[in-house]
Every structure is written in C-alpha cells, then in structure tokens.
Amino acid sequence: MASLMLCPMVIPYGRQAVDEQDIAAVVEILRGDWLTQGPTVREFEDAFAAACDAPYAVSFSSGTAALHAAAFAAGVGPQDELLTSALTFSASANCGAYVGATPTFADIDPGTWNVSVETVAAATTDATRVVVPVHFAGLPPPVREIRERAGDRVLIIEDAAHALGARTSEEKVGACKWSDMAMFSLHPVKAIATGEGGMVTTRRPELRDRLMIFRNHGFDLHPPAAPGGWYREQVELGFNYRLSDIHSALGRSQLRKLDRFIAGRNEVAARYRDLLRDVPEIGLPPAAPDRSLHAYHLFVITLRDGAEARLRLYDGLRKRGILAQVHYLPVYLHPYYNRTFGYQPGLCPQAEDYYSRCLSLPCFPTLTRQQQDQVVEAVREIVTS
Ligand SMILES: *Cc1c(COP(=O)(O)O)cnc(C)c1O
C-alpha cells in the first residue's frame, strides 16, 4: 500500500519502515479519549529516555522545535554565539538565531566529517556560550573531548538528529554524559518516524523543566496555590510545540524496532562498502571506531573528480529512478546567513571541499538487496563511463 505513494521503480535516499503493528498502535489512539496531551506522550518519552540511557526525554512537534527549545533552555540570547558544524542541516544553526544569538561555524575534520576538538577550539570566542556538535550521517562527534577542552564555560547541545541508536565506546547517543542536552528528529527519513516530531534528552532536571515550559506556551509546570483550580501562570514566552498522542503512539511502536532498524542500516552500509571498495573514482564514508556503532542515517560517497563528476552521477542516477541526495551545502553559504551575518565562502574550507564532491546513496532498513545491487551497478556504470 505505502509504495503506491512513490512509483515502485523509484528508490529514494531514505524512507520510513511502517508495519501493521505501527498502524494498529495509531488506530488504537484514534478510537480512544486522547488525541493529544494524553498518557501516550509520557509513555513514549519514558521509553525514549530508557532507550538512550538518559533520565529525561521531552518530546516536541519537530526536531527543529526541539532545537529551538534547547537553545531557549540553554539561556542564550543576543551577545552570545552558538557554535555548530558547518556541515549540517540549517536547523542546527537556526536555533541560535531564533533566540537572538549569532550562529558561528566550526570546520569539519576530513577524516570524520564531524567537528573535531581542534576545529571547535579554533572557532570558539569569548562570546561562545553553546556548542552544538552534530552527529553527521550517524557517526558520533568527540563530545567528551569537546567538554574536556571547554570545561563548563559552554553548554553542549548534541544535534543527534542522525544518530538515534548509535553508540560511542562509552555511552549510547543521547545519554548526555558529557553534554547538557541531545536533540533528535523523528522525521520519516530518520531512524524512527512519528511523521513530524522531535525529542530532547537530558540529565539535568532544571533543563527538563525549561524544555517542558517552553513547549507549552511558557506556562509554569507547578501552578501556585490559588482559589480556583483553573489558575495557571505564564512565566516565559513559549510556543505550542507539543507532540500529539497520535504521533507518540507511532513513535512508541517504532522505537521497539530501533535496534533492528540500525542493524539493517549497518547491513546496507557494509554491503555498499564491499561492493564499491574497488571503484577508484569514489571514496567511502568514515566508519565507526571499534566498540562504537554508526547509525548510518546517511551513506555518503565522495567523487574523486569533484563537482562535475558528482553532478553527472546525481543526474545519471535520477534518470535510473535512484534519488541520491546532497547533504549539505555548508550552512553559512545560504543567502540568509550571508545577508544576516555577512558570512562569505572560504570560512570552512574542508566543509566546502566535502560539499563539492559528496553524494548520499539510498540507505534505509527496507532497501532490498536487489535495490542495493541496482544502486551499485548504476554507480559503477556512471562513474566509469
Ligand atoms: C532532520 C534534522 C533536523 C531537524 O529535524 P526536523 O524534525 O526535520 O525539524 C535538525 N538537524 C539535523 C542535522 C537534521 O538532519
């Protein structure tokens, strides 16, 4: 049924895996009393926190709303800088601009495509109050080392939108042992889907409270004793960023399959590595170090011959119904960032070089072996012709 939405000949770069159990879980909510603000939201949050080894998880209507709330909870504002990776989706940086801070950018390490301790240190100024390390493609960045270098001078918000289900040698992503908060997206291309949705995990109860206040119009969690049970006080300027019970039921059902989904993504990645390792025209993505686990939100190859070869491959794959994608234009090269903050090309040379030659191949748990072969054959044919 679901494949009716896309022509069956077409292979997208990512897609959700929704089964009958997921559908039944949502239908059960539709027949019940609570479509939103009911018990399923909390159940999903508790299951999510447990899956990440974190004490608290707060859900949001999107990953972007979750990042906005995290920037609010961090207490940053005008005069402050929020430092993130040049290589990420705009939302990682936009959250700083939402609260009036200036987004700034650290270059990537070409060996990991993540920020490194050195690139973060080089881009840190006296005004840097928050660092947002991104788990690009699902590979964890060196959060512990960034914390050890920066101490408590900065708050760390991990953008783990790509990395639900990933692990370092020391923690599950989202456990927040060395960060203040970790943010996740529940968009259909990500590890688990709620439709739209996001989550923030934290170990700090005061941050959890601020996140919860922000997603519900800024209303206090604990109304003062007053005559009349209706009395509530708005103590901050918040939004309606709540996740519904409908979304939460889907998320809770999907979460039970997280390990299987990540294993499936790792199988696809291992197979691509195997079948593409002898193609000199392309480079393979950084692998996870020992005793850690890559979430493979993306499987990105690079074209030795640069932008022209990449365009030829992108177009050639599209002609064959394979919808490869480019992740990402370095954020500061977007016109908004140039116009608002004056950023110019050349700021982060490694991210720009990566951008000129990268291409994300289809990678998701329900990608069949036959489809993987189809992708590999097409890549070989196009890059060697
Ligand atoms: C998907 C994504 C987001 C935003 O999440 P949404 O749920 O789409 O709002 C933020 N950061 C990164 C790196 C992402 O890939």
Side-chain angles (χ1 to χ4, degrees):
M1 280 297 283
S3 61
L4 289 177
M5 296 305 294
L6 277 176
C7 164
M9 306 290 294
V10 166
I11 307 176
Y13 85 87
R15 71 158 294 156
Q16 72 278 11
V18 171
D19 64 13
E20 290 304 322
Q21 268 179 333
D22 297 323
I23 293 167
V26 173
V27 168
E28 192 187 320
I29 295 296
L30 294 175
R31 294 191 202 285
D33 293 327
W34 300 90
L35 295 189
T36 193
Q37 296 183 267
T40 309
V41 178
R42 184 60 189 273
E43 285 167 27
F44 178 39
E45 289 172 335
D46 289 348
F48 196 100
C52 294
D53 286 346
Y56 310 117
V58 181
S59 61
F60 290 89
S61 52
S62 71
T64 301
L67 277 169
H68 186 184
F72 166 84
V76 279
Q79 321 303 329
D80 299 329
E81 292 176 1
L82 175 143
L83 174 62
T84 190
S85 176
L87 174 59
T88 184
F89 185 56
S90 311
S92 318
N94 289 347
C95 67
Y98 293 155
V99 295
T102 301
T104 58
F105 298 95
D107 206 349
I108 56 169
D109 175 337
T112 63
W113 299 341
N114 280 322
V115 296
S116 67
V117 187
E118 291 75 25
T119 65
V120 166
T124 297
T125 74
D126 289 345
T128 305
R129 287 273 309 278
V130 174
V131 178
V132 182
V134 177
H135 295 243
F136 180 76
L139 182 66
V143 179
R144 178 182 185 163
E145 290 77 4
I146 292 169
R147 168 63 81 207
E148 284 168 354
R149 172 78 78 99
D152 292 330
R153 286 192 308 278
V154 299
L155 267 85
I156 298 178
I157 303 170
E158 296 175 65
D159 182 331
H162 295 184
L164 179 61
R167 278 196 310 267
T168 69
S169 59
E170 292 171 306
E171 64 169 348
K172 285 187 177 177
V173 172
C176 298
K177 285 192 185 160
W178 290 281
S179 67
D180 296 284
M181 292 173 269
M183 162 274 169
F184 298 88
S185 166
L186 309 171
H187 182 278
V189 296
K190 306 285 167 66
I192 66 166
T194 60
E196 298 286 356
M199 197 73 81
V200 177
T201 58
T202 183
R203 299 193 159 261
R204 295 177 51 187
E206 75 281 12
L207 291 176
R208 179 212 44 196
D209 288 356
R210 282 177 67 76
L211 293 164
M212 289 177 71
I213 288 169
F214 191 73
R215 73 158 176 207
N216 192 29
H217 307 280
F219 278 97
D220 205 345
L221 300 176
H222 309 291
W230 67 83
Y231 189 77
R232 302 281 311 274
E233 286 181 342
Q234 187 195 329
V235 293
E236 297 286 354
L237 183 62
F239 291 80
N240 177 356
Y241 276 165
R242 298 183 304 254
L243 192 69
S244 75
D245 284 60
I246 304 170
H247 293 88
S248 298
L250 180 54
R252 195 182 47 172
S253 178
Q254 288 257 296
L255 189 62
R256 295 190 186 111
K257 291 169 277 206
L258 175 63
D259 290 348
R260 241 183 299 154
F261 288 166
I262 298 303
R265 288 175 176 276
N266 273 273
E267 274 170 39
V268 172
R271 198 129 184 285
Y272 277 152
R273 284 186 188 284
D274 220 33
L275 298 173
L276 290 170
R277 80 169 84 247
D278 63 339
V279 185
E281 289 84 356
I282 64 174
L284 296 172
D290 282 351
R291 296 188 300 123
S292 58
L293 182 65
H294 200 308
Y296 283 109
H297 165 59
L298 301 175
F299 188 89
V300 182
I301 59 170
T302 53
L303 278 293
R304 184 193 62 192
D305 299 332
E308 238 170 82
R310 191 263 305 276
L311 181 61
R312 221 162 58 81
L313 180 55
Y314 174 88
D315 285 342
L317 290 173
R318 276 190 107 76
K319 271 196 210 115
R320 293 164 164 82
I322 298 166
L323 308 184
Q325 259 303 348
V326 171
H327 302 95
Y328 298 96
L329 178 68
V331 177
Y332 61 86
L333 293 178
H334 285 287
Y336 168 82
Y337 278 87
N338 166 265
R339 193 173 73 235
T340 312
F341 304 104
Y343 288 120
Q344 298 290 336
L347 181 67
C348 297
Q350 296 294 349
E352 291 180 24
D353 177 67
Y354 161 90
Y355 168 68
S356 71
R357 56 182 77 247
C358 67
L359 195 66
S360 307
L361 299 182
C363 184
F364 49 91
T366 57
L367 189 71
T368 65
R369 281 182 150 243
Q370 194 210 326
Q371 288 173 317
Q372 294 163 35
D373 292 342
Q374 208 179 315
V375 171
V376 167
E377 274 321 297
V379 169
R380 277 178 177 281
E381 238 176 75
I382 298 163
V383 299
T384 56
S385 67

